[in-house]
Amino acid sequence: MTETDLSKRIVFQNDDGGVSIIIPADCGLQIEEIAAKDVPTGKPYAILDASDIPADRSEREGWTVNEANLTDGVGE
Amino acid sequence: MPRTGGVFSLLSGSKGTPNTTIQSAPYNAQLDDFAADANAARPVTAGGTGATTASGARTNLGLAIGTDVQAQDALLQSIAGLTTVADRMIYTTGVDTAAVTTITSYGRSLIDDLDAAAARTTLGLVIGTNVQAQDAGLQSIAGLTTAANQLIYTTALDTYATSSLTAFARTILDDNDAATVRATLGLGSLSTQSTINNSDWSGTALAVANGGTGGTTQATARTGLGLGTLSTLNSVNNGNWSGAALAVANGGTGGTTAAAAKTNLGITDDIQAWVNFNGTGTVAIRASRNVSSITDNGVGDYTVNFASAMSDTNYAVFAWARYANSTSNTLLGPFAWTSDTKTTSAVRMRVQYSDPGSTGAQDSPEVNLMVVR
């Protein structure tokens, strides 16, 4: 079974204009496969290191993302 | 006495003198002497026996039976009647009946021996010199029936039997050493090797039919043995698996999907997916099954994405979340808005606290969700 890279995160802009972060599970799928499957259809996404995501969630609702940077793919 | 030493003599003065008168006294005395002599036993010297009894007479005559002469005996009488010549011996043919037979000087040498040992020597039968001493083993051998080309061997103590001994076997037995035996057997130098190694081998590749591989390289050996590429692998994994699903009877599941595998294995697992994750700080999944990811949509807002889709949306969702603080009088409830996602591929849930006088979304350090169908 292929090992999933658990150190990665998938970022996309949700319908509310906020930021959704996909945390991969150890399911045997590649991070790209997870992104393609779990990112809502048509939404662009970026794959980042988990360390790039702030651990301080006190302002979680205020997080934003520049959609122009979501260039790793589009949800299928 | 009229006799002296057996000789009778006249009494002195008994004879008459010529021209003289015979006197009565000398005359009578002489007559008395005659009478006494006549009535006495006549001595042997005078032709008598000197005895008045038969026994005394035999004794005086040197004829005492049992002393001087043999008593009359029928056997002796028979022997006395035999006609003998040189080299004869007497033997009985019946009661008190004897006859003669020839006896040689050698025969006499036999019967003059003092004991059995001397007799065996005379006969040339000295045990250990002329003849074998009695032995149980030799007795067993003597009882064997032999034919050509046989050997004698023991089957037990002092018990022998025979077995075939061919002319070829005798050519081995008459060899003086191991090298000569090997030559007799037609064995080459390989026969003295303890092991056979590559340097000893000079033939072609040993055929499979003879227990070899038929090849001189690993590849040709594999070909000879009918081995495919799988034989060179250290392990079998999904990448090199090309067969059908391994049947349950062979230790597999018989299915190419989890659902098919569970069906074939008779597993009626109603839990379709579950996940335990930390919703605080750097959100991370602790453990899960059939979950490809969770989506952190915001504070207390998560979507659980299934690795394998549900068969429909009629599954049940059970969730539980741990409150982040230890505030009393606080309720923490996982729930979903009416509009929240619940599809065959994902389900969205939210975690919200409820204190007297306030309520709102909250990240939980431990969120658990289980999908049952």
Side-chain angles (χ1 to χ4, degrees):
Chain A
M1 190 170 81
T2 304
E3 287 194 13
T4 304
D5 188 350
L6 301 179
S7 70
K8 299 295 185 180
R9 295 293 185 264
I10 304 163
V11 179
F12 67 92
Q13 189 175 55
N14 59 40
D15 291 339
D16 298 328
V19 178
S20 287
I21 315 294
I22 291 179
I23 297 94
D26 187 11
C27 61
L29 296 176
Q30 299 285 357
I31 192 70
E32 291 81 5
E33 295 175 302
I34 293 174
K37 184 177 80 68
D38 293 345
V39 173
T41 303
K43 288 192 176 295
Y45 61 84
I47 298 174
L48 307 176
D49 289 334
S51 59
D52 293 332
I53 307 299
D56 182 358
R57 296 172 62 85
S58 59
E59 300 297 329
R60 174 67 179 84
E61 298 301 327
W63 289 2
T64 59
V65 64
N66 185 350
E67 197 167 11
N69 294 330
L70 304 177
T71 60
D72 288 331
V74 178
E76 300 176 353
Chain B
M1 289 293 293
R3 292 179 184 267
T4 300
V7 177
F8 186 85
S9 300
L10 295 176
L11 294 175
S12 176
S14 62
K15 287 186 176 180
T17 303
N19 302 317
T20 61
T21 304
I22 297 172
Q23 297 181 340
S24 61
Y27 177 78
N28 290 335
Q30 187 61 54
L31 290 178
D32 290 340
D33 189 58
F34 282 145
D37 183 71
N39 291 321
R42 181 175 292 278
V44 175
T45 54
T49 66
T52 58
T53 64
S55 175
R58 289 194 298 270
T59 299
N60 292 340
L61 290 174
L63 296 172
I65 297 173
T67 300
D68 302 309
V69 296
Q70 289 293 143
Q72 176 63 32
D73 180 80
L75 176 58
L76 294 177
Q77 187 64 37
S78 175
I79 291 171
L82 295 176
T83 299
T84 60
V85 294
D87 296 327
R88 294 289 186 276
M89 63 178 290
I90 298 170
Y91 70 100
T92 59
T93 60
V95 176
D96 292 336
T97 304
V100 295
T101 187
T102 300
I103 182 166
T104 64
S105 59
Y106 175 71
R108 290 191 296 275
S109 71
L110 292 176
I111 61 177
D112 71 356
D113 290 333
L114 297 176
D115 51 31
R120 288 194 295 270
T121 300
T122 302
L123 290 169
L125 298 173
V126 177
I127 297 172
T129 299
N130 304 116
V131 294
Q132 289 292 146
Q134 175 64 25
D135 178 80
L138 294 177
Q139 185 65 30
S140 174
I141 293 172
L144 295 176
T145 299
T146 59
N149 298 319
Q150 290 185 325
L151 63 82
I152 298 169
Y153 69 99
T154 58
T155 59
L157 177 64
D158 289 334
T159 304
Y160 290 82
T162 60
S163 179
S164 293
L165 179 65
T166 65
F168 171 70
R170 289 196 294 275
T171 66
I172 296 174
L173 295 176
D174 69 1
D175 290 337
N176 290 324
D177 50 39
T180 308
V181 171
R182 288 195 296 274
T184 301
L185 293 173
L187 299 176
S189 59
L190 198 62
S191 63
T192 61
Q193 299 283 77
S194 298
T195 59
I196 298 175
N197 53 41
N198 289 332
S199 63
D200 298 317
W201 184 264
S202 63
T204 57
L206 193 62
V208 174
N210 295 325
T213 66
T216 57
T217 66
Q218 293 177 332
T220 56
R222 287 195 300 272
T223 300
L225 294 173
L227 299 176
T229 56
L230 195 62
S231 62
T232 63
L233 299 178
N234 293 324
S235 63
V236 177
N237 53 41
N238 289 331
N240 52 42
W241 180 266
S242 64
L246 193 62
V248 174
N250 295 325
T253 67
T256 57
T257 65
K262 286 190 288 188
T263 299
N264 292 337
L265 294 173
I267 299 173
T268 55
D269 183 6
D270 294 335
I271 300 174
Q272 302 300 315
W274 61 266
V275 64
N276 176 333
F277 62 91
N278 179 5
T280 63
T282 299
V283 178
I285 296 172
R286 294 189 179 90
S288 65
R289 193 184 83 192
N290 193 29
V291 170
S292 60
S293 67
I294 61 171
T295 304
D296 167 21
N297 299 307
V299 176
D301 184 350
Y302 314 103
T303 299
V304 176
N305 302 297
F306 304 133
S308 295
M310 299 298 115
S311 58
D312 54 39
T313 59
N314 295 325
Y315 55 82
V317 179
F318 299 88
W320 170 83
R322 187 182 299 279
Y323 190 57
N325 302 308
S326 58
T327 305
S328 61
N329 299 323
T330 298
L331 297 176
L332 190 69
F335 67 100
W337 300 120
T338 303
S339 59
D340 283 343
T341 299
K342 187 189 181 195
T343 66
T344 58
S345 59
V347 62
R348 187 171 184 176
M349 64 168 291
R350 300 170 190 265
V351 178
Q352 189 162 5
Y353 72 93
S354 178
D355 283 341
S358 66
T359 185
Q362 184 180 81
D363 287 331
S364 168
E366 182 180 354
V367 181
N368 301 278
L369 181 141
M370 179 173 67
V371 175
V372 177
R373 177 69 172 87

